């Protein structure tokens, strides 16, 4: 699969011949490989472009030009342009990975099925743990209700009279602690 990612990361060659104008073809800076130290030449991969546009978003937000600037519309326009470029490159990156995913599903459909089975197993395990957590809570609250029922049966053994309620309430109040 790493070879199918050709052109996405520095140092990789795009697989197979590419017609002019096709993704990964010469002249498409977003998919050309980059040798180490060549970032300043403009031949960047999508990852490099995404990183650069992300850095530009933050740079535009903290730039002294914008901090000291008085024209709010100019500031807003500059920031919007940086963010739009970042979003465009992010969409291109997402499209690249979706294309590779499609290629993988056509070339190796059993791999897609394996991934689906793995995801379903993980989801099933997560739900089993959630069920166990809920069962533990149910058992706890059943015990609390059972304890309350036992306490309600005890009042028949308590003395009856006008002050019985106060006697019962004061019996549940803990004795004051003696200061040390």
């Amino acid at each position: 699969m790493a070879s199918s990612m050709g052109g996405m990361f520095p140092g990789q060659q795009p697989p197979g011949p590419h017609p002019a104008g096709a993704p990964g073809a010469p002249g498409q800076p977003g998919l050309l490989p980059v040798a180490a130290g060549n970032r300043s030449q403009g031949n960047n991969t999508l990852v490099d472009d995404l990183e650069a546009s992300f850095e530009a978003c933050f740079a535009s937000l903290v730039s002294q030009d914008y901090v000291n600037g008085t024209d709010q519309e100019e500031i807003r326009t500059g920031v919007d342009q940086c963010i739009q470029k970042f979003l465009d490159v992010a969409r291109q990156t997402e499209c690249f990975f979706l294309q590779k995913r499609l290629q993988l599903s056509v070339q190796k459909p059993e791999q897609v099925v394996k991934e689906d089975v793995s995801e379903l197993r993980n989801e099933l395990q997560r739900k089993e743990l959630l069920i166990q957590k809920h069962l533990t809570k149910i058992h706890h609250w059943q015990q609390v209700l059972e304890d309350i029922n036992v306490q309600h049966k005890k009042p028949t053994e308590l003395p009856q009279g006008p002050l019985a309620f106060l006697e019962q309430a004061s019996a549940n109040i803990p004795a004051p602690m003696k200061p040390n």
Side-chain angles (χ1 to χ4, degrees):
M1 178 156 158
S3 64
S4 67
M5 295 292 206
M8 180 66 188
F9 299 103
Q12 290 184 338
Q13 295 295 324
H18 297 286
Q28 286 240 337
L31 296 177
L32 287 177
V34 178
N38 286 347
R39 278 186 69 164
S40 61
Q41 292 182 348
N43 293 337
N44 294 336
T45 63
L46 281 174
V47 172
D48 291 334
D49 289 345
L50 187 66
E51 182 181 2
S53 62
F54 183 73
E55 290 171 355
C57 286
F58 279 106
S60 68
L61 293 173
V62 297
S63 171
Q64 285 299 330
D65 295 339
Y66 290 136
V67 172
N68 297 333
T70 55
D71 186 8
Q72 294 295 320
E73 191 60 34
E74 181 182 328
I75 294 170
R76 181 172 294 130
T77 303
V79 171
D80 285 345
Q81 287 175 349
C82 289
I83 291 173
Q84 190 60 44
K85 179 172 174 32
F86 174 74
L87 292 173
D88 289 342
V89 175
R91 283 187 200 103
Q92 290 174 5
T93 305
E94 180 183 21
C95 183
F96 175 84
F97 281 109
L98 289 173
Q99 288 173 347
K100 293 303 176 183
R101 178 76 176 165
L102 178 62
Q103 287 176 358
L104 180 66
S105 68
V106 170
Q107 293 171 356
K108 296 183 180 183
E110 69 279 356
Q111 182 67 29
V112 175
V113 172
K114 284 180 185 178
E115 289 175 6
D116 290 344
V117 168
S118 176
E119 287 176 12
L120 289 171
R121 283 185 179 143
N122 288 339
E123 184 177 350
L124 185 62
Q125 184 179 16
R126 183 184 60 83
K127 288 181 178 181
E128 287 290 334
L129 290 173
L130 189 62
I131 288 171
Q132 290 301 319
K133 179 181 170 184
H134 286 298
L135 285 175
T136 303
K137 286 182 179 182
I138 287 172
H139 291 304
H140 168 74
W141 287 111
Q142 283 176 336
Q143 186 64 40
V144 168
L145 289 173
E146 199 173 295
D147 292 346
I148 290 172
N149 285 337
V150 169
Q151 288 178 355
H152 283 293
K153 290 179 181 177
K154 285 185 179 180
T156 57
E157 300 168 1
L158 292 175
Q160 299 293 327
L163 298 177
F165 178 75
L166 288 176
E167 290 174 4
Q168 181 183 5
S170 64
N172 291 333
I173 298 174
M177 301 285 287
K178 292 183 180 180
N180 292 341

